[in-house]
Amino acid sequence: MSNLKETARSLFEERKLKLIIGYQEGTRRPRPFFCTSVDDVSQLILDDRCKNNIAVYLTRKEVLGDGPVGVVATPKVLRSALQLLSENQIREGEFLFIVGKDASGVEVMADKAAVQAYADTHPDAPNPKVEQRLHEIEAMPREERWKFWESELSKCIRCYACRAACPLCYCERCIVEVNCPQWIDPWAAPLSNMEWQINRVMHMAGRCIGCGACYEACPLDLPINLLTKELSSEVASDFGQTASGNVLSTFSPADKENFFK
């Protein structure tokens, strides 16, 4: 494996890339960085502080341009890319993934099998705070749990930062923007907030890779990542689905359809 900056410099000099999406030092923490030339390479960093899921840019054609693109990829970015590949939102070989534990040791991969193998062998450690909070919510009686979510989601200001931060929210027109018919009221209110969040979670079922970008982006610190995580657990338990497909578009002719009762 080679150094991140050396690798990036070589890719530019050999004209294999026109853009590298990575990380640079920000005011308080690393932030996404669009490296477009050898002169920018010195600003690239990669360490455990690089939390942003920059896979959100992989479906943004206005950002990517028409040239080959490199991505400084953490395991979360790789898992998001694999999901996008499975949904035909990006093509195999369209990106060069520069992966590694830190900036001092990286390697470049493009084919899906290599990306999958790396992601499988580099899982994220469970977040103790997230797991503890989830267990606390699960332990609540049903009525108390409903009141908890009703209270939390009523605070939502419908800024849609969660949608903007999620790599798998790539629809050009979201259900909240459809007004013929008007599925969900466009203003913030307890009922429409609940409808929006439930719709969002349903569309993420079986697809969410658990990166927490939605929670990190929320200006009110609403625990919407827990809602998604809980539904993903229920889906995996009841249907055997993991983050490898869209549950809303998956079925089996052998389903007993007990859920109709």
Side-chain angles (χ1 to χ4, degrees):
M1 297 206 296
S2 59
N3 179 279
L4 171 62
K5 294 176 182 178
E6 291 175 357
T7 300
R9 185 175 291 105
S10 296
L11 291 171
F12 277 122
E13 291 175 344
E14 296 170 14
R15 299 188 177 182
K16 292 183 178 180
L17 297 176
K18 290 185 178 180
L19 169 68
I20 294 178
I21 305 174
Y23 303 90
Q24 71 174 167
E25 289 290 354
T27 304
R28 292 180 295 175
R29 59 183 180 179
R31 61 190 178 192
F33 176 54
F34 297 86
C35 181
T36 58
S37 69
V38 173
D39 295 335
D40 295 335
V41 165
S42 62
Q43 299 182 57
L44 285 170
I45 64 170
L46 178 61
D47 57 41
D48 291 339
R49 299 173 301 137
C50 298
K51 303 294 187 182
N52 296 74
N53 192 342
I54 55 178
V56 71
Y57 300 112
L58 301 189
T59 55
R60 309 289 172 85
K61 301 303 181 184
E62 69 277 11
V63 172
L64 302 178
D66 58 358
V69 177
V71 183
V72 178
T74 64
K76 291 178 180 178
V77 173
L78 291 181
R79 286 198 295 276
S80 299
L82 287 167
Q83 187 63 34
L84 291 171
L85 280 166
S86 73
E87 296 176 9
N88 299 313
Q89 296 304 308
I90 61 176
R91 297 187 299 273
E92 185 171 3
E94 190 174 8
F95 299 93
L96 289 180
F97 296 99
I98 306 170
V99 302
K101 182 177 180 180
D102 53 45
S104 63
V106 300
E107 57 183 303
V108 179
M109 56 186 67
D111 63 286
K112 183 178 179 180
V115 172
Q116 183 72 65
Y118 189 93
D120 290 344
T121 56
H122 293 77
D124 282 324
N127 186 321
K129 292 183 179 179
V130 170
E131 296 298 322
Q132 179 182 351
R133 190 62 179 131
L134 192 58
H135 290 320
E136 291 172 354
I137 295 172
E138 290 173 341
M140 295 178 181
R142 182 176 180 178
E143 293 76 12
E144 184 180 343
R145 191 162 61 245
W146 172 260
K147 289 181 180 179
F148 168 80
W149 285 115
E150 191 174 37
S151 173
E152 288 295 310
L153 298 183
S154 68
K155 304 170 188 174
C156 175
I157 58 174
R158 302 282 287 282
C159 66
Y160 303 126
C162 52
R163 183 183 69 178
C166 178
L168 301 176
C169 280
Y170 50 71
C171 293
E172 293 183 2
R173 193 182 188 197
C174 179
I175 189 172
V176 293
E177 296 164 338
V178 176
N179 55 11
C180 290
Q182 186 80 62
W183 293 103
I184 300 175
D185 290 333
W187 52 81
L191 178 58
S192 59
N193 288 359
M194 186 72 75
E195 290 173 332
W196 152 242
Q197 293 293 349
I198 289 175
N199 268 278
R200 185 190 68 84
V201 170
M202 286 176 61
H203 282 89
M204 295 305 298
R207 302 172 61 236
C208 176
I209 60 96
C211 69
C214 54
Y215 172 71
E216 294 294 335
C218 180
L220 298 176
D221 293 329
L222 301 183
I224 50 180
N225 59 320
L226 300 183
L227 196 60
T228 310
K229 187 175 178 63
E230 175 62 20
L231 183 59
S232 296
S233 298
E234 292 291 332
V235 166
S237 173
D238 294 343
F239 300 101
Q241 285 282 344
T242 58
S244 59
N246 188 343
V247 174
L248 291 182
S249 63
T250 303
F251 72 96
S252 168
D255 285 343
K256 296 181 179 180
E257 301 182 351
N258 294 334
F259 52 88
F260 283 132
K261 296 180 180 178

